[in-house]
Amino acid sequence: MSIPYYDCIAHHAMRQPGSLAAVDLSTERRHSYRALDERIARLAGSLRSQWDIAAGDRVAVLAPNSTDTFEVQLACGRIGAIFVPLNWRLAGPELHAILGDCAPALLIHDAEFADRARDLARGCGITRMVALGPEFERMALDGPALDQPMAATLDDVSTILYTSGTTGRPKGAIITHGMNFWNTVHSISLAGVGRSSVFLGLLPLFHTGGLNVFAYPVFQAGGTVMIMRSFDPGEALRLIGDPSVGVTHLFGVPANFQFMAQHPGFRETDMSRLVFAGVGGAPTPDAILRTWQDQGAVLQQGYGMTETSPLVLVLDRQDAVRKAGSAGKPVLHGQTRVVGDDGADVAPRAVGELWVKGPHVTQGYWNQPEVTEAAFSDGWLHTGDAALVDDEGFYFIVDRWKDMYISGGENVYPAEVENVLYQHEQIAEAAVIGVTDARWGQVGRAIVVVKPGCELSEDAVIGHCAANLARYKLPQSVVFTEALPRNATGKVHKPTLRRSFGES
């Protein structure tokens, strides 16, 4: 029996219509739950009647953070359409691949990205586009209010979130209404999300962290979501310290907290109102944890994935200092295992791959059944991350099971970068590894073999990558060598590369 999906904005518009729902910090727009509900209803009606968007159609958004993005997501939910937020940091070829995969019926874009949107639309055969600003506002303010929302269930698809694939092809993780619901349950129980919560969103809304830790759960609980168009350390500190704003919840990647700690205003910021300050997306250096603790804010580490909506592990506040470095313990409605190469559970304190199972886990990847099949064993999702469990049941993420590295909170897959490197006509062989970086945690290093008789500079290699990849994926250094180390089967041996070229 399918469980119905209930619209949280409509619910709170009925129960607490005057309560503040959303604040767009860039434009200073403030929407009560009643006002937000009315905007979403008219936007949904416009999508259905003016643009002929039907259940199952994809609606893509190419825009920096704003409350408009939430309105699109929630309006899609009312008509059964599927929301696809696009990573605007990606290069043109990467976005072409994503749009070609999800085939959106409508592309909504910020005015800042108008030229890019037109190019993408032409290249991908998209015939319907809407610009944020006056055109969007007419839909949200004057459009025909949707009279009868679609009767969706928790099993229906809400969103497709694209992540980089290990083969170089982007993967669209299918996010259902149910995944969002269970993530809300976990957020309420572990992070204290409630009606009095005021969440400050720092992360981009094309990420699961931006959408679901903790924006969507706060909407579900009836609290207030405040969104920054782009992360500004000084402004974030000002908002956290302002008692009239009353920020209670915060989540970011280690780089966010590092940049705030380095800001001149950090030591003068009152952190006493923070109920939950979460950090994830990458291992957090002990120095950052200590710096925030000294300022009166305990950073609680966690672990999650796009495919798990995302919470999997969370470290409780009372354990955050004592167990610094741990990602915590499993959420209530999730199961976890640490397994070896044979798929059997490893012994306590032994390292293995973390597997996850539960109602918060994705159904699979859009249009990629073979990738979906490879990612699961008897319903258990292979996370690709190496972990161990200590004697008290605390989980530690000790390394990436595969070759992925994390730069500034963004996942980077070497195969994707290597694919671009091999497109350069003067490169014979290429491999990419992650190396330690004080600012970003890790950055890429390309190890390149040049074809005989050719000459190639480091700047030329990086410039070639810059034309085809997002900035955070670019190698920050290039090492030239005569040959790449390979194992007996002919595969490039990454451990040898790391030993030989991995020093930062």
Side-chain angles (χ1 to χ4, degrees):
M1 177 178 174
S2 297
I3 301 174
Y5 155 73
Y6 295 102
D7 189 308
C8 60
I9 304 300
H11 174 81
H12 292 298
M14 175 268 295
R15 294 193 68 93
Q16 48 169 349
S19 294
L20 184 61
V23 179
D24 192 306
L25 292 167
S26 175
T27 62
E28 300 183 348
R29 290 180 297 170
R30 300 166 68 87
H31 300 306
S32 67
Y33 272 98
R34 175 167 48 204
L36 187 59
D37 178 54
E38 291 174 354
R39 287 177 62 87
I40 293 168
R42 293 187 182 279
L43 179 59
S46 296
L47 290 175
R48 177 178 284 177
S49 62
Q50 179 180 348
W51 296 101
D52 198 29
I53 303 301
D57 285 344
R58 277 73 64 202
V59 176
V61 176
L62 182 70
N65 285 3
S66 78
T67 52
D68 294 336
T69 299
F70 290 121
E71 292 174 16
V72 175
Q73 181 186 31
L74 294 161
C76 285
R78 294 192 182 186
I79 61 176
I82 299 172
F83 169 64
V84 186
L86 301 173
N87 183 345
W88 48 265
R89 297 174 62 185
L90 296 177
E94 296 169 302
L95 286 171
H96 272 275
I98 289 172
L99 292 172
D101 186 61
C102 68
L106 178 68
L107 174 59
I108 299 175
H109 65 88
D110 190 84
E112 178 183 345
F113 301 139
D115 291 340
R116 295 184 71 190
R118 282 192 290 270
D119 290 342
L120 289 167
R122 282 195 296 267
C124 299
I126 300 171
T127 58
R128 290 172 282 183
M129 296 201 310
V130 172
L132 296 179
E135 184 179 10
F136 184 85
E137 285 300 296
R138 283 194 294 271
M139 294 168 59
L141 293 175
D142 302 324
L146 186 72
D147 55 356
Q148 186 62 50
M150 177 182 170
T153 73
L154 294 185
D155 293 330
D156 290 327
V157 180
S158 160
T159 303
I160 302 173
L161 289 176
Y162 277 87
T163 65
S164 296
T166 54
T167 63
R169 178 184 175 187
K171 299 185 298 181
I174 296 171
I175 311 299
T176 64
H177 293 296
M179 291 173 65
N180 292 332
F181 168 78
W182 290 111
N183 185 68
T184 298
V185 173
H186 298 148
S187 299
I188 290 171
S189 64
L190 293 170
V193 169
R195 186 176 289 190
S196 62
S197 297
V198 178
F199 170 68
L200 176 60
L202 309 178
L203 298 178
L205 296 180
F206 54 71
H207 269 188
T208 185
L211 283 174
N212 291 327
V213 192
F214 293 97
Y216 189 80
V218 170
F219 281 136
Q220 282 277 332
T224 301
V225 174
M226 310 183 76
I227 290 296
M228 303 185 80
R229 184 174 176 89
S230 58
F231 172 61
D232 181 307
E235 179 63 8
L237 289 171
R238 186 191 70 77
L239 293 165
I240 293 167
D242 188 341
S244 68
V245 177
V247 173
T248 62
H249 285 71
L250 188 68
F251 181 80
V253 298
N256 296 130
F257 292 99
Q258 180 182 2
F259 295 155
M260 283 190 282
Q262 293 171 345
H263 192 274
F266 179 73
R267 292 299 177 188
E268 288 72 48
T269 303
D270 179 7
M271 308 283 184
S272 62
R273 286 170 294 277
L274 287 177
V275 173
F276 188 98
V279 60
T284 307
D286 290 344
I288 296 177
L289 299 174
R290 289 194 301 268
T291 299
W292 278 77
Q293 181 187 346
D294 292 344
Q295 191 58 22
V298 175
L299 299 185
Q300 295 175 236
Q301 297 181 87
Y303 168 84
M305 303 174 66
T306 301
E307 292 89 341
T308 59
S309 69
L311 297 184
V312 173
L313 306 167
V314 178
L315 189 61
D316 289 329
R317 185 180 180 88
Q318 65 267 25
D319 299 313
V321 175
R322 183 176 69 90
K323 286 291 186 178
S326 169
K329 292 184 176 181
V331 296
L332 175 62
H333 298 284
Q335 301 176 62
T336 54
R337 298 171 58 197
V338 178
V339 305
D341 290 332
D342 58 358
D345 292 354
V346 301
R349 300 195 66 85
V351 175
E353 184 182 8
L354 180 64
W355 287 9
V356 181
K357 188 176 187 179
H360 60 315
V361 176
T362 184
Q363 301 171 353
Y365 299 101
W366 187 262
N367 284 338
Q368 297 196 52
E370 69 289 346
V371 176
T372 299
E373 183 178 2
F376 288 88
S377 293
D378 296 325
W380 290 91
L381 173 68
H382 307 174
T383 69
D385 291 310
L388 64 82
V389 185
D390 72 6
D391 297 335
E392 297 181 74
F394 287 89
Y395 283 68
F396 290 78
I397 306 300
V398 297
D399 200 355
R400 297 301 173 184
W401 197 256
K402 302 170 184 176
D403 293 326
M404 183 192 78
Y405 61 90
I406 298 176
S407 185
E410 298 274 6
N411 294 350
V412 184
Y413 288 90
E416 191 175 11
V417 186
E418 290 161 2
N419 183 53
V420 170
L421 288 169
Y422 272 103
Q423 294 172 16
H424 195 291
E425 60 182 10
Q426 293 180 309
I427 292 178
E429 295 182 280
V432 174
I433 59 173
V435 295
T436 302
D437 180 80
R439 181 178 177 86
W440 301 111
Q442 286 183 299
V443 295
R445 173 167 292 166
I447 299 93
V448 171
V449 178
V450 179
K451 291 180 180 179
C454 296
E455 292 185 1
L456 200 57
S457 68
E458 181 178 51
D459 287 345
V461 173
I462 296 175
H464 168 73
C465 292
N468 295 279
L469 292 168
R471 189 177 182 86
Y472 67 85
K473 298 178 183 179
L474 301 183
Q476 298 299 301
S477 60
V478 179
V479 176
F480 295 94
T481 187
E482 293 183 358
L484 297 182
R486 298 180 180 273
N487 62 18
T489 62
K491 294 182 180 179
V492 175
H493 196 242
K494 290 290 181 76
T496 301
L497 281 179
R498 294 190 185 99
R499 286 194 299 268
S500 301
F501 304 109
E503 292 183 2
S504 61

